[in-house]
């Protein structure tokens, strides 16, 4: 007889929240910067063992203020050329590193067959906008130029990210359009913050303001750490949702979590893309928290992985631009 789930059993999200409460995990909005970085680092302990990939390569690419670390995941070869997926980690622009997404990206490389390049960037408050955005665009340009060296198709570049890294991925796509840089075939945005949190009009910021790990207060704090100047915070390179025109941007897969303050603004970004003729798909992960992509053993991650695999297959190489732009 098939087994049916117990409707009274706690969900994955309930289990995570209960575990964090038992561990005394403090609210993200109240942690100082060293504690915040330790707390984000602790998430790695819940990710399980690393899935083997054919090869992992550490390298660096030049950024506007120094070299940026990159970890490259090469899956077992498959017939035909492989896409290059440039990925940026999350952490509120103030925490996280390439280690934070090591286990999720191993699984992503194996599932999609893409060469995945995980790029680091400078963190707030030591660095603020536009520093992180410039680092992300520099990494995209440099890695696209090295695609063949890394075992990937130079004409099939994808950019993606999780949380703050998804904001940087979207901003890198806009910078590429504005500056004539590499043409991503696809942008993969996982729980992206795309507009300032303070005075936001989106309902999920009120419905999910507290009680689901990522809170409205935490997002207000992260935005202030990243872009303390309210005028600069309205720049589309800081807040991609506030652009007037979305035409010319790459097609998008936008993955959102049901229990996330950022859910509605991320889904609105997909609607703005479609309004301006850019294909966009939204996948809302039911029952998920903001951090679902960092927990590969949960059902939400598996759902997201299938969606990403399909999107990567669907969006093939793009025609080259006149020049591979470099950051100015």
């Amino acid at each position: 007889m098939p087994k049916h789930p117990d409707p009274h059993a706690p969900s994955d999200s309930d289990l995570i929240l209960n575990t964090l409460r038992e561990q005394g995990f403090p609210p993200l909005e109240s942690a100082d910067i060293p504690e915040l970085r330790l707390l984000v680092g602790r998430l790695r302990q819940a990710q399980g063992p690393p899935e083997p990939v054919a090869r992992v390569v550490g390298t660096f690419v030049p950024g506007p203020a120094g070299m940026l670390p990159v970890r490259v995941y090469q899956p077992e070869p498959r017939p035909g050329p492989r896409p290059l997926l440039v990925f940026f980690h999350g952490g509120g622009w103030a925490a996280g590193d390439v280690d934070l997404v090591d286990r999720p990206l191993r699984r992503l490389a194996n599932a999609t067959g893409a060469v995945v390049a995980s790029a680091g960037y400078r963190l707030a408050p030591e660095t603020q906008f536009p520093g992180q955005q410039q680092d992300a665009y520099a990494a995209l340009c440099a890695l696209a130029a090295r695609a063949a060296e890394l075992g990937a198709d130079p004409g099939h570049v994808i950019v993606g990210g999780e949380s703050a890294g998804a904001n940087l991925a979207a901003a890198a796509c806009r910078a590429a359009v504005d500056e004539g840089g590499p043409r991503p075939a696809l942008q993969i945005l996982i729980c992206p913050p795309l507009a300032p949190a303070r005075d936001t009009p989106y309902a999920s910021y009120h419905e999910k303001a507290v009680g689901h790990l990522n809170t409205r207060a935490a997002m207000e704090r992260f935005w202030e750490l990243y872009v303390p100047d309210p005028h600069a915070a309205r720049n589309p390179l800081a807040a991609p949702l506030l652009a007037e025109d979305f035409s010319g941007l790459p097609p998008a897969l936008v993955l959102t979590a049901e229990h996330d303050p950022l859910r509605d603004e991320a889904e609105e970004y997909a609607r703005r893309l479609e309004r301006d003729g850019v294909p966009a798909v939204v996948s809302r992960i039911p029952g998920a928290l903001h951090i679902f992509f960092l927990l590969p053993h949960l059902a939400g991650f598996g759902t997201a992985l299938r969606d990403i695999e399909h999107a990567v297959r669907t969006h093939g190489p793009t025609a080259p631009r006149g020049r591979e732009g470099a950051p100015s």
Side-chain angles (χ1 to χ4, degrees), residues 90-321:
W93 301 281
D97 53 24
V98 296
D99 282 338
L100 179 64
V101 287
D102 175 80
R103 283 153 176 73
L105 294 189
R106 287 170 176 269
R107 292 193 56 181
L108 188 60
N110 285 335
T112 62
V115 174
V116 179
S118 178
Y121 50 88
R122 292 171 288 166
L123 299 177
E126 296 89 345
T127 299
Q128 294 174 325
F129 177 80
Q132 289 89 330
Q133 178 269 317
Q134 292 173 343
D135 286 355
Y137 182 53
L140 172 62
C141 291
L143 290 164
R146 292 176 57 183
E149 170 198 336
L150 299 173
D153 178 1
H156 195 181
V157 176
I158 298 167
V159 64
E162 184 266 337
S163 191
N167 167 283
L168 298 178
C173 290
R174 177 156 295 279
V177 170
D178 293 345
E179 301 189 27
R183 264 183 89 182
L186 176 69
Q187 51 181 319
I188 300 170
L189 309 181
I190 304 167
C191 297
L194 297 169
R198 195 169 297 281
D199 300 322
T200 178
Y202 295 103
S204 58
Y205 254 105
H206 303 278
E207 296 168 3
K208 309 295 180 180
V210 296
H212 299 95
L213 184 62
N214 187 36
T215 64
R216 176 173 181 156
M219 288 309 309
E220 289 179 350
R221 182 188 182 209
F222 293 148
W223 272 102
E224 288 167 2
L225 288 170
Y226 178 42
V227 202
D229 178 355
H231 178 73
R234 302 196 66 79
N235 185 323
L237 291 175
L241 183 57
L242 301 186
E244 293 183 1
D245 182 9
F246 293 76
S247 60
L249 290 170
L253 170 63
V254 181
L255 293 138
T256 65
E258 179 183 357
H259 301 304
D260 185 8
L262 303 176
R263 183 194 68 208
D264 291 354
E265 71 183 55
E267 295 176 2
E268 177 63 20
Y269 180 79
R271 284 190 286 271
R272 302 275 181 92
L273 287 169
E274 291 200 305
R275 178 200 68 187
D276 289 345
V278 179
V281 172
V282 170
S283 175
R284 182 187 293 187
I285 308 300
L289 299 173
H290 177 78
I291 60 169
F292 76 86
F293 188 75
L294 301 179
L295 301 169
H297 59 289
L298 297 185
F301 180 89
T303 300
L305 198 61
R306 290 189 292 273
D307 291 336
I308 294 171
E309 182 183 8
H310 175 75
V312 170
R313 285 199 317 268
T314 302
H315 296 279
T318 54
R321 269 209 175 100

Side-chain angles (χ1 to χ4, degrees), residues 12-35:
D12 286 343
S13 295
D14 290 334
L15 292 172
I16 294 167
L17 292 170
N18 289 339
T19 298
L20 293 176
R21 279 191 288 267
E22 290 168 2
Q23 293 177 349
F25 202 91
L28 294 176
E29 59 268 26
S30 65
D32 62 25
I33 295 300
E35 185 180 24

